[in-house]
Each structure stands twice: as C-alpha cells, then as structure tokens.
Amino acid sequence: MPSRLPFLLAALLSFLPAAGRALCTSDGAAQPGVLLERFINADCADCWRDPLTPQAATGTLAIDWVVPGRKGQDAPLSAVAAVEAVERLSTLGRAVPDGSAAVSGRREGFGLPLRLAQGAAFNDYVGASIELKAPGTTPWQAWLLLVEHLPAGTEGSPVARNLVRNVFRPDWDKPAGRAPKRLAETRAMQIHDGARAERLRLVAVLQDARGRIRAISRTECP
C-alpha cells in the first residue's frame, strides 16, 4: 500500500467520533419502517429502464444493487456491479435474477440506536463510522453501504435510486460473553469511478441472528 495511506486515513477519520464535526450523520433522521431492495443483473441493461420498477412508498427506503452477470466485464452494467450483491441475495434466501428482482423487509420494533457518520470526500475516499449502543450479547448482522443517490431519469431510470457503490460488513456476528457498552467501527470507504461525491450517503441495515431487521439508518447532509 502507498506510504501515505496512514496520513489519508487520519485525514478522513479523525473527526468522525465527534458528531458536531461530521459532515453528514444519522442524528435526527427518522428510521424508515420498510426496506425495499431492488436487484438488477448487470447483463440486463433494459432492467434499469424498466417502467415497472417498484417504487418506494412513504416510509420505505429503497436501495439498488447491480449483481455481476454471466458476461463479466462485458456486461452493460458491469461498471456499477457489486460482488457483495450476491452475498446479500444469499442472506435474503434469493438466487441471482436473470433480469431484476425486488425484496421488501419490514423493520421490527422502534429501531435500535444505530448511528452513522460520514465525512467529506478526500482522494477518492470517504470517512465512515457506524455505532450501535447497548448491543447486548446477541450476534448482529450489519451492512454498511455507501450509496449514490441518483434522481429519476438518470440513464433512463423511471425511479430515483440509491445505488450501492461500496459495502462494509462489521464483524459483529459473534456472540459476546459480556455485554459491551457499544459496538463501533470507523473506516475509509473508497469512492469508485464514476460516482459523484456530493451524491454519496451512508445506509446501514442491522439484522439479528434470526434475520429480522432491527434498524435502518441513513445519513442526511445539511
């Protein structure tokens, strides 16, 4: 890795623990009650423009995954495909679609206090932190997603999209012997080619050991 990486990480992450200095946070943002996940096979360019694409209803957060296709790098949407989309589909008990598929999940309870903070873009990276207070001893499945908000009409899309651009999985899936006060991770997430930094947001989905959604958090920027 480049010798300047420690400097880069320090520049990105040093401010994130302090809410007042983070560029965007989930503080004060109401948690959506429903998560709509839309999956598109990278081979299917028409699926992006499909007029029947499910829309997000009130109280629903939609996120969009492009799944690597059989054509590999020759697939029309390969530039925005995320290999983690296959893992996410497996977690949901779904196979890779030939075209597109949508999966909805309802959050249970009032939403656990899952806090996100996002820093400014710097050298093609963005600082990100995720924190769960009073997690207990149960294992958790957490997905921290760097998404790009794309307005309706982008490349012919009939709906606004939150396109998954990068993924981090905190190692929270081991049962704890003694309940910690919090679980927290802070890291730099790469901004992939073509993404516009001003459109980037963080989204996190927290599921318990039974796969139930217990929190859906997202950053909002002033």
Side-chain angles (χ1 to χ4, degrees):
M1 288 189 177
S3 59
R4 59 199 298 265
L5 183 56
F7 169 77
L8 171 63
L9 294 179
L12 283 165
L13 307 177
S14 61
F15 62 90
L16 282 174
R21 296 199 298 269
L23 181 65
C24 312
T25 74
S26 60
D27 299 339
Q31 289 197 21
V34 178
L35 180 70
L36 171 63
E37 298 183 73
R38 299 180 292 221
F39 296 86
I40 294 178
N41 191 302
D43 293 343
C44 184
D46 290 341
C47 294
W48 181 269
R49 300 184 291 268
D50 186 355
L52 299 180
T53 298
Q55 299 202 37
T58 302
T60 297
L61 175 65
I63 58 175
D64 296 271
W65 300 83
V66 175
V67 190
R70 294 189 179 93
K71 297 179 181 178
Q73 295 300 315
D74 293 329
L77 302 179
S78 64
V80 293
V83 294
E84 295 87 355
V86 178
E87 181 184 0
R88 183 61 185 167
L89 280 166
S90 178
T91 298
L92 296 170
R94 300 296 184 98
V96 174
D98 291 329
S100 62
V103 183
S104 290
R106 183 171 296 277
R107 173 176 53 78
E108 298 204 10
F110 292 101
L112 296 180
L114 186 66
R115 182 180 186 273
L116 306 179
Q118 172 187 342
F122 180 74
N123 278 17
D124 298 327
Y125 285 84
V126 63
S129 74
I130 178 172
E131 177 184 5
L132 176 64
K133 295 181 179 179
T137 59
T138 184
W140 296 103
Q141 300 178 44
W143 295 74
L144 179 61
L145 312 175
L146 184 65
V147 305
E148 183 178 9
H149 179 72
L150 302 174
T154 303
E155 298 296 330
S157 173
V159 297
R161 297 186 184 273
N162 290 303
L163 178 64
V164 176
R165 287 296 207 166
N166 207 335
V167 180
F168 172 61
R169 299 290 313 281
D171 186 21
W172 294 354
D173 59 351
K174 309 291 191 301
R178 183 179 299 176
K181 292 182 179 179
R182 67 185 188 114
L183 294 172
E185 294 282 352
T186 302
R187 65 190 302 104
M189 298 184 75
Q190 186 175 13
I191 302 171
H192 292 300
D193 289 345
R196 290 174 52 175
E198 70 273 16
R199 291 179 172 177
L200 295 175
R201 300 291 185 273
L202 291 175
V203 170
V205 181
L206 184 72
Q207 295 174 258
D208 62 20
R210 295 171 57 186
R212 298 175 300 183
I213 298 175
R214 303 298 303 279
I216 306 169
S217 294
R218 54 185 171 179
T219 55
E220 293 184 349
C221 303

